[in-house]
mmCIF file of all heavy atoms in Angstrom:
data_model
loop_
_atom_site.group_PDB
_atom_site.id
_atom_site.type_symbol
_atom_site.label_atom_id
_atom_site.label_comp_id
_atom_site.label_asym_id
_atom_site.label_seq_id
_atom_site.Cartn_x
_atom_site.Cartn_y
_atom_site.Cartn_z
ATOM 1 N N ALA T 1 -17.018 -23.540 -12.172
ATOM 2 C CA ALA T 1 -18.416 -23.119 -12.019
ATOM 3 C C ALA T 1 -19.088 -23.932 -10.920
ATOM 4 O O ALA T 1 -19.837 -23.393 -10.094
ATOM 5 C CB ALA T 1 -19.155 -23.285 -13.341
ATOM 6 N N LYS T 2 -18.808 -25.226 -10.894
ATOM 7 C CA LYS T 2 -19.375 -26.082 -9.841
ATOM 8 C C LYS T 2 -18.874 -25.652 -8.469
ATOM 9 O O LYS T 2 -19.637 -25.627 -7.500
ATOM 10 C CB LYS T 2 -18.993 -27.542 -10.101
ATOM 11 C CG LYS T 2 -19.659 -28.159 -11.313
ATOM 12 C CD LYS T 2 -19.197 -29.589 -11.510
ATOM 13 C CE LYS T 2 -19.809 -30.204 -12.757
ATOM 14 N NZ LYS T 2 -19.323 -31.591 -12.983
ATOM 15 N N ILE T 3 -17.587 -25.322 -8.402
ATOM 16 C CA ILE T 3 -17.008 -24.884 -7.129
ATOM 17 C C ILE T 3 -17.672 -23.592 -6.660
ATOM 18 O O ILE T 3 -17.986 -23.431 -5.476
ATOM 19 C CB ILE T 3 -15.493 -24.697 -7.282
ATOM 20 C CG1 ILE T 3 -14.817 -26.046 -7.512
ATOM 21 C CG2 ILE T 3 -14.900 -24.015 -6.053
ATOM 22 C CD1 ILE T 3 -13.367 -25.942 -7.945
ATOM 23 N N ALA T 4 -17.898 -22.655 -7.600
ATOM 24 C CA ALA T 4 -18.531 -21.377 -7.252
ATOM 25 C C ALA T 4 -19.944 -21.605 -6.722
ATOM 26 O O ALA T 4 -20.362 -20.993 -5.730
ATOM 27 C CB ALA T 4 -18.561 -20.457 -8.473
ATOM 28 N N VAL T 5 -20.681 -22.502 -7.394
ATOM 29 C CA VAL T 5 -22.046 -22.812 -6.950
ATOM 30 C C VAL T 5 -22.018 -23.452 -5.566
ATOM 31 O O VAL T 5 -22.842 -23.146 -4.693
ATOM 32 C CB VAL T 5 -22.743 -23.735 -7.973
ATOM 33 C CG1 VAL T 5 -24.074 -24.242 -7.415
ATOM 34 C CG2 VAL T 5 -22.973 -22.990 -9.282
ATOM 35 N N ALA T 6 -21.062 -24.360 -5.366
ATOM 36 C CA ALA T 6 -20.951 -25.030 -4.072
ATOM 37 C C ALA T 6 -20.660 -24.026 -2.959
ATOM 38 O O ALA T 6 -21.226 -24.094 -1.865
ATOM 39 C CB ALA T 6 -19.856 -26.094 -4.124
ATOM 40 N N LYS T 7 -19.754 -23.062 -3.240
ATOM 41 C CA LYS T 7 -19.437 -22.044 -2.235
ATOM 42 C C LYS T 7 -20.648 -21.174 -1.937
ATOM 43 O O LYS T 7 -20.901 -20.804 -0.776
ATOM 44 C CB LYS T 7 -18.276 -21.183 -2.727
ATOM 45 C CG LYS T 7 -16.929 -21.898 -2.701
ATOM 46 C CD LYS T 7 -15.816 -20.954 -3.127
ATOM 47 C CE LYS T 7 -14.456 -21.633 -3.022
ATOM 48 N NZ LYS T 7 -13.355 -20.733 -3.421
ATOM 49 N N ALA T 8 -21.414 -20.830 -2.997
ATOM 50 C CA ALA T 8 -22.620 -20.029 -2.804
ATOM 51 C C ALA T 8 -23.623 -20.789 -1.940
ATOM 52 O O ALA T 8 -24.278 -20.217 -1.056
ATOM 53 C CB ALA T 8 -23.238 -19.671 -4.152
ATOM 54 N N GLN T 9 -23.745 -22.095 -2.195
ATOM 55 C CA GLN T 9 -24.662 -22.916 -1.409
ATOM 56 C C GLN T 9 -24.223 -22.967 0.049
ATOM 57 O O GLN T 9 -25.052 -22.919 0.970
ATOM 58 C CB GLN T 9 -24.715 -24.336 -1.990
ATOM 59 C CG GLN T 9 -25.737 -25.242 -1.306
ATOM 60 C CD GLN T 9 -27.162 -24.728 -1.471
ATOM 61 O OE1 GLN T 9 -27.603 -24.500 -2.588
ATOM 62 N NE2 GLN T 9 -27.858 -24.536 -0.370
ATOM 63 N N GLU T 10 -22.901 -23.068 0.259
ATOM 64 C CA GLU T 10 -22.387 -23.077 1.628
ATOM 65 C C GLU T 10 -22.719 -21.769 2.342
ATOM 66 O O GLU T 10 -23.078 -21.766 3.523
ATOM 67 C CB GLU T 10 -20.874 -23.303 1.613
ATOM 68 C CG GLU T 10 -20.470 -24.725 1.225
ATOM 69 C CD GLU T 10 -18.965 -24.893 1.140
ATOM 70 O OE1 GLU T 10 -18.251 -23.868 1.287
ATOM 71 O OE2 GLU T 10 -18.512 -26.026 0.930
ATOM 72 N N LYS T 11 -22.589 -20.652 1.626
ATOM 73 C CA LYS T 11 -22.944 -19.364 2.225
ATOM 74 C C LYS T 11 -24.426 -19.309 2.568
ATOM 75 O O LYS T 11 -24.819 -18.799 3.625
ATOM 76 C CB LYS T 11 -22.591 -18.231 1.263
ATOM 77 C CG LYS T 11 -21.100 -17.977 1.121
ATOM 78 C CD LYS T 11 -20.826 -16.806 0.200
ATOM 79 C CE LYS T 11 -19.327 -16.542 0.072
ATOM 80 N NZ LYS T 11 -19.045 -15.412 -0.851
ATOM 81 N N MET T 12 -25.258 -19.828 1.645
ATOM 82 C CA MET T 12 -26.696 -19.875 1.907
ATOM 83 C C MET T 12 -26.987 -20.702 3.155
ATOM 84 O O MET T 12 -27.840 -20.337 3.977
ATOM 85 C CB MET T 12 -27.421 -20.460 0.700
ATOM 86 C CG MET T 12 -27.455 -19.547 -0.518
ATOM 87 S SD MET T 12 -28.507 -18.095 -0.247
ATOM 88 C CE MET T 12 -30.117 -18.870 -0.108
ATOM 89 N N ASN T 13 -26.288 -21.820 3.283
ATOM 90 C CA ASN T 13 -26.481 -22.673 4.460
ATOM 91 C C ASN T 13 -26.094 -21.920 5.735
ATOM 92 O O ASN T 13 -26.777 -22.024 6.760
ATOM 93 C CB ASN T 13 -25.645 -23.945 4.330
ATOM 94 C CG ASN T 13 -26.133 -24.848 3.209
ATOM 95 O OD1 ASN T 13 -27.276 -24.733 2.766
ATOM 96 N ND2 ASN T 13 -25.278 -25.739 2.748
ATOM 97 N N ASP T 14 -24.978 -21.165 5.661
ATOM 98 C CA ASP T 14 -24.547 -20.392 6.834
ATOM 99 C C ASP T 14 -25.586 -19.327 7.192
ATOM 100 O O ASP T 14 -25.892 -19.110 8.368
ATOM 101 C CB ASP T 14 -23.200 -19.723 6.556
ATOM 102 C CG ASP T 14 -22.072 -20.749 6.439
ATOM 103 O OD1 ASP T 14 -22.266 -21.881 6.914
ATOM 104 O OD2 ASP T 14 -21.027 -20.408 5.860
ATOM 105 N N ILE T 15 -26.112 -18.654 6.151
ATOM 106 C CA ILE T 15 -27.128 -17.622 6.388
ATOM 107 C C ILE T 15 -28.391 -18.238 6.983
ATOM 108 O O ILE T 15 -29.015 -17.681 7.894
ATOM 109 C CB ILE T 15 -27.463 -16.879 5.074
ATOM 110 C CG1 ILE T 15 -26.242 -16.066 4.619
ATOM 111 C CG2 ILE T 15 -28.675 -15.973 5.247
ATOM 112 C CD1 ILE T 15 -26.403 -15.456 3.239
ATOM 113 N N TYR T 16 -28.764 -19.420 6.452
ATOM 114 C CA TYR T 16 -29.951 -20.111 6.958
ATOM 115 C C TYR T 16 -29.765 -20.475 8.429
ATOM 116 O O TYR T 16 -30.676 -20.295 9.260
ATOM 117 C CB TYR T 16 -30.195 -21.364 6.124
ATOM 118 C CG TYR T 16 -31.421 -22.138 6.524
ATOM 119 C CD1 TYR T 16 -32.701 -21.675 6.206
ATOM 120 C CD2 TYR T 16 -31.307 -23.331 7.240
ATOM 121 C CE1 TYR T 16 -33.826 -22.385 6.584
ATOM 122 C CE2 TYR T 16 -32.427 -24.049 7.622
ATOM 123 C CZ TYR T 16 -33.691 -23.578 7.284
ATOM 124 O OH TYR T 16 -34.799 -24.289 7.666
ATOM 125 N N ASP T 17 -28.563 -20.955 8.765
ATOM 126 C CA ASP T 17 -28.279 -21.292 10.160
ATOM 127 C C ASP T 17 -28.342 -20.044 11.036
ATOM 128 O O ASP T 17 -28.870 -20.080 12.156
ATOM 129 C CB ASP T 17 -26.891 -21.936 10.270
ATOM 130 C CG ASP T 17 -26.860 -23.329 9.652
ATOM 131 O OD1 ASP T 17 -27.940 -23.919 9.485
ATOM 132 O OD2 ASP T 17 -25.756 -23.803 9.340
ATOM 133 N N ALA T 18 -27.786 -18.936 10.512
ATOM 134 C CA ALA T 18 -27.808 -17.690 11.276
ATOM 135 C C ALA T 18 -29.246 -17.213 11.490
ATOM 136 O O ALA T 18 -29.601 -16.722 12.567
ATOM 137 C CB ALA T 18 -26.985 -16.618 10.549
ATOM 138 N N ALA T 19 -30.103 -17.361 10.453
ATOM 139 C CA ALA T 19 -31.507 -16.951 10.567
ATOM 140 C C ALA T 19 -32.217 -17.793 11.615
ATOM 141 O O ALA T 19 -33.025 -17.285 12.407
ATOM 142 C CB ALA T 19 -32.192 -17.080 9.213
ATOM 143 N N ASN T 20 -31.916 -19.106 11.606
ATOM 144 C CA ASN T 20 -32.525 -19.977 12.610
ATOM 145 C C ASN T 20 -32.104 -19.580 14.022
ATOM 146 O O ASN T 20 -32.912 -19.579 14.957
ATOM 147 C CB ASN T 20 -32.137 -21.437 12.343
ATOM 148 C CG ASN T 20 -32.871 -22.013 11.142
ATOM 149 O OD1 ASN T 20 -33.912 -21.503 10.752
ATOM 150 N ND2 ASN T 20 -32.329 -23.066 10.559
ATOM 151 N N LYS T 21 -30.814 -19.229 14.152
ATOM 152 C CA LYS T 21 -30.329 -18.802 15.467
ATOM 153 C C LYS T 21 -30.999 -17.487 15.874
ATOM 154 O O LYS T 21 -31.312 -17.285 17.049
ATOM 155 C CB LYS T 21 -28.814 -18.632 15.426
ATOM 156 C CG LYS T 21 -28.067 -19.959 15.297
ATOM 157 C CD LYS T 21 -26.563 -19.742 15.199
ATOM 158 C CE LYS T 21 -25.834 -21.069 15.043
ATOM 159 N NZ LYS T 21 -24.364 -20.878 14.886
ATOM 160 N N ALA T 22 -31.206 -16.580 14.892
ATOM 161 C CA ALA T 22 -31.869 -15.309 15.187
ATOM 162 C C ALA T 22 -33.304 -15.553 15.658
ATOM 163 O O ALA T 22 -33.779 -14.922 16.609
ATOM 164 C CB ALA T 22 -31.857 -14.411 13.953
ATOM 165 N N ASP T 23 -34.011 -16.474 14.974
ATOM 166 C CA ASP T 23 -35.382 -16.807 15.389
ATOM 167 C C ASP T 23 -35.396 -17.335 16.814
ATOM 168 O O ASP T 23 -36.280 -17.004 17.615
ATOM 169 C CB ASP T 23 -35.979 -17.850 14.437
ATOM 170 C CG ASP T 23 -36.281 -17.257 13.060
ATOM 171 O OD1 ASP T 23 -36.359 -16.021 12.956
ATOM 172 O OD2 ASP T 23 -36.430 -18.029 12.102
ATOM 173 N N SER T 24 -34.403 -18.163 17.130
ATOM 174 C CA SER T 24 -34.337 -18.715 18.486
ATOM 175 C C SER T 24 -34.121 -17.609 19.508
ATOM 176 O O SER T 24 -34.705 -17.628 20.599
ATOM 177 C CB SER T 24 -33.190 -19.741 18.569
ATOM 178 O OG SER T 24 -33.417 -20.818 17.684
ATOM 179 N N LYS T 25 -33.284 -16.624 19.134
ATOM 180 C CA LYS T 25 -33.028 -15.512 20.055
ATOM 181 C C LYS T 25 -34.269 -14.651 20.236
ATOM 182 O O LYS T 25 -34.547 -14.167 21.338
ATOM 183 C CB LYS T 25 -31.874 -14.659 19.529
ATOM 184 C CG LYS T 25 -30.531 -15.376 19.609
ATOM 185 C CD LYS T 25 -29.412 -14.534 19.031
ATOM 186 C CE LYS T 25 -28.077 -15.268 19.117
ATOM 187 N NZ LYS T 25 -26.978 -14.500 18.519
ATOM 188 N N VAL T 26 -35.037 -14.451 19.142
ATOM 189 C CA VAL T 26 -36.279 -13.687 19.239
ATOM 190 C C VAL T 26 -37.260 -14.406 20.164
ATOM 191 O O VAL T 26 -37.917 -13.778 21.018
ATOM 192 C CB VAL T 26 -36.903 -13.487 17.838
ATOM 193 C CG1 VAL T 26 -38.314 -12.922 17.950
ATOM 194 C CG2 VAL T 26 -36.027 -12.565 16.995
ATOM 195 N N ASP T 27 -37.370 -15.711 19.988
ATOM 196 C CA ASP T 27 -38.263 -16.499 20.855
ATOM 197 C C ASP T 27 -37.806 -16.407 22.304
ATOM 198 O O ASP T 27 -38.626 -16.268 23.225
ATOM 199 C CB ASP T 27 -38.273 -17.966 20.405
ATOM 200 C CG ASP T 27 -38.942 -18.132 19.041
ATOM 201 O OD1 ASP T 27 -39.693 -17.223 18.633
ATOM 202 O OD2 ASP T 27 -38.699 -19.172 18.387
ATOM 203 N N ALA T 28 -36.491 -16.501 22.518
ATOM 204 C CA ALA T 28 -35.961 -16.422 23.886
ATOM 205 C C ALA T 28 -36.246 -15.042 24.485
ATOM 206 O O ALA T 28 -36.593 -14.921 25.674
ATOM 207 C CB ALA T 28 -34.454 -16.699 23.878
ATOM 208 N N PHE T 29 -36.133 -13.985 23.658
ATOM 209 C CA PHE T 29 -36.421 -12.628 24.123
ATOM 210 C C PHE T 29 -37.885 -12.510 24.542
ATOM 211 O O PHE T 29 -38.205 -11.895 25.567
ATOM 212 C CB PHE T 29 -36.098 -11.624 23.019
ATOM 213 C CG PHE T 29 -36.189 -10.201 23.456
ATOM 214 C CD1 PHE T 29 -35.115 -9.571 24.055
ATOM 215 C CD2 PHE T 29 -37.378 -9.476 23.279
ATOM 216 C CE1 PHE T 29 -35.208 -8.249 24.471
ATOM 217 C CE2 PHE T 29 -37.465 -8.166 23.698
ATOM 218 C CZ PHE T 29 -36.377 -7.542 24.289
ATOM 219 N N ALA T 30 -38.774 -13.096 23.739
ATOM 220 C CA ALA T 30 -40.200 -13.048 24.059
ATOM 221 C C ALA T 30 -40.476 -13.761 25.379
ATOM 222 O O ALA T 30 -41.278 -13.298 26.199
ATOM 223 C CB ALA T 30 -41.003 -13.680 22.922
ATOM 224 N N ARG T 31 -39.772 -14.893 25.580
ATOM 225 C CA ARG T 31 -39.965 -15.614 26.846
ATOM 226 C C ARG T 31 -39.470 -14.784 28.025
ATOM 227 O O ARG T 31 -40.071 -14.796 29.100
ATOM 228 C CB ARG T 31 -39.230 -16.957 26.795
ATOM 229 C CG ARG T 31 -39.876 -17.980 25.871
ATOM 230 C CD ARG T 31 -39.334 -19.379 26.116
ATOM 231 N NE ARG T 31 -37.905 -19.486 25.830
ATOM 232 C CZ ARG T 31 -37.399 -19.752 24.630
ATOM 233 N NH1 ARG T 31 -38.213 -19.926 23.595
ATOM 234 N NH2 ARG T 31 -36.104 -19.836 24.448
ATOM 235 N N MET T 32 -38.368 -14.052 27.818
ATOM 236 C CA MET T 32 -37.856 -13.193 28.882
ATOM 237 C C MET T 32 -38.843 -12.058 29.183
ATOM 238 O O MET T 32 -39.027 -11.651 30.335
ATOM 239 C CB MET T 32 -36.492 -12.617 28.484
ATOM 240 C CG MET T 32 -35.369 -13.645 28.421
ATOM 241 S SD MET T 32 -35.130 -14.556 29.978
ATOM 242 C CE MET T 32 -35.962 -16.124 29.608
ATOM 243 N N GLU T 33 -39.487 -11.522 28.094
ATOM 244 C CA GLU T 33 -40.508 -10.491 28.310
ATOM 245 C C GLU T 33 -41.653 -11.033 29.147
ATOM 246 O O GLU T 33 -42.169 -10.344 30.052
ATOM 247 C CB GLU T 33 -41.041 -10.003 26.957
ATOM 248 C CG GLU T 33 -40.122 -9.035 26.245
ATOM 249 C CD GLU T 33 -40.756 -8.480 24.975
ATOM 250 O OE1 GLU T 33 -41.418 -9.263 24.269
ATOM 251 O OE2 GLU T 33 -40.602 -7.277 24.718
ATOM 252 N N GLU T 34 -42.088 -12.252 28.840
ATOM 253 C CA GLU T 34 -43.182 -12.866 29.609
ATOM 254 C C GLU T 34 -42.781 -13.029 31.071
ATOM 255 O O GLU T 34 -43.576 -12.768 31.990
ATOM 256 C CB GLU T 34 -43.537 -14.223 29.004
ATOM 257 C CG GLU T 34 -44.183 -14.125 27.610
ATOM 258 C CD GLU T 34 -44.428 -15.493 26.999
ATOM 259 O OE1 GLU T 34 -44.059 -16.496 27.654
ATOM 260 O OE2 GLU T 34 -44.984 -15.555 25.895
ATOM 261 N N LYS T 35 -41.544 -13.429 31.294
ATOM 262 C CA LYS T 35 -41.076 -13.594 32.671
ATOM 263 C C LYS T 35 -41.028 -12.247 33.378
ATOM 264 O O LYS T 35 -41.376 -12.134 34.566
ATOM 265 C CB LYS T 35 -39.689 -14.237 32.671
ATOM 266 C CG LYS T 35 -39.697 -15.717 32.322
ATOM 267 C CD LYS T 35 -38.294 -16.320 32.470
ATOM 268 C CE LYS T 35 -38.317 -17.814 32.168
ATOM 269 N NZ LYS T 35 -36.960 -18.422 32.325
ATOM 270 N N ALA T 36 -40.584 -11.193 32.636
ATOM 271 C CA ALA T 36 -40.528 -9.858 33.230
ATOM 272 C C ALA T 36 -41.925 -9.368 33.615
ATOM 273 O O ALA T 36 -42.120 -8.785 34.695
ATOM 274 C CB ALA T 36 -39.874 -8.881 32.242
ATOM 275 N N ASP T 37 -42.906 -9.606 32.722
ATOM 276 C CA ASP T 37 -44.289 -9.213 33.026
ATOM 277 C C ASP T 37 -44.796 -9.957 34.248
ATOM 278 O O ASP T 37 -45.463 -9.362 35.124
ATOM 279 C CB ASP T 37 -45.195 -9.507 31.818
ATOM 280 C CG ASP T 37 -44.906 -8.585 30.651
ATOM 281 O OD1 ASP T 37 -44.298 -7.519 30.874
ATOM 282 O OD2 ASP T 37 -45.270 -8.943 29.505
ATOM 283 N N ALA T 38 -44.492 -11.247 34.312
ATOM 284 C CA ALA T 38 -44.961 -12.049 35.445
ATOM 285 C C ALA T 38 -44.326 -11.553 36.743
ATOM 286 O O ALA T 38 -44.992 -11.461 37.791
ATOM 287 C CB ALA T 38 -44.625 -13.526 35.209
ATOM 288 N N MET T 39 -43.009 -11.228 36.669
ATOM 289 C CA MET T 39 -42.327 -10.707 37.865
ATOM 290 C C MET T 39 -42.942 -9.384 38.308
ATOM 291 O O MET T 39 -43.137 -9.142 39.505
ATOM 292 C CB MET T 39 -40.831 -10.525 37.565
ATOM 293 C CG MET T 39 -40.072 -11.838 37.372
ATOM 294 S SD MET T 39 -38.362 -11.579 36.834
ATOM 295 C CE MET T 39 -37.699 -10.719 38.261
ATOM 296 N N LEU T 40 -43.248 -8.498 37.324
ATOM 297 C CA LEU T 40 -43.849 -7.210 37.668
ATOM 298 C C LEU T 40 -45.226 -7.387 38.282
ATOM 299 O O LEU T 40 -45.578 -6.726 39.267
ATOM 300 C CB LEU T 40 -43.942 -6.334 36.411
ATOM 301 C CG LEU T 40 -44.563 -4.959 36.598
ATOM 302 C CD1 LEU T 40 -43.774 -4.144 37.623
ATOM 303 C CD2 LEU T 40 -44.652 -4.224 35.277
#
């Protein structure tokens, strides 16, 4: 049971890391949009 909980926690950590990376990509996309507007 402890092992199962630990594995679930590891998956949660992976998902959390993926969400953080997604947020970073969204922010980077927004910055690219700003650059595109400035270029236009």
Side-chain angles (χ1 to χ4, degrees):
K2 291 179 182 178
I3 292 169
V5 171
K7 287 183 176 180
Q9 185 63 54
E10 289 177 355
K11 288 182 179 179
M12 289 291 294
N13 293 340
D14 292 341
I15 293 172
Y16 182 74
D17 290 341
N20 286 339
K21 290 178 181 178
D23 289 342
S24 298
K25 290 178 180 178
V26 170
D27 292 341
F29 188 86
R31 289 194 297 273
M32 291 303 101
E33 282 185 320
E34 292 176 358
K35 286 185 178 181
D37 290 341
M39 291 173 64
L40 179 59

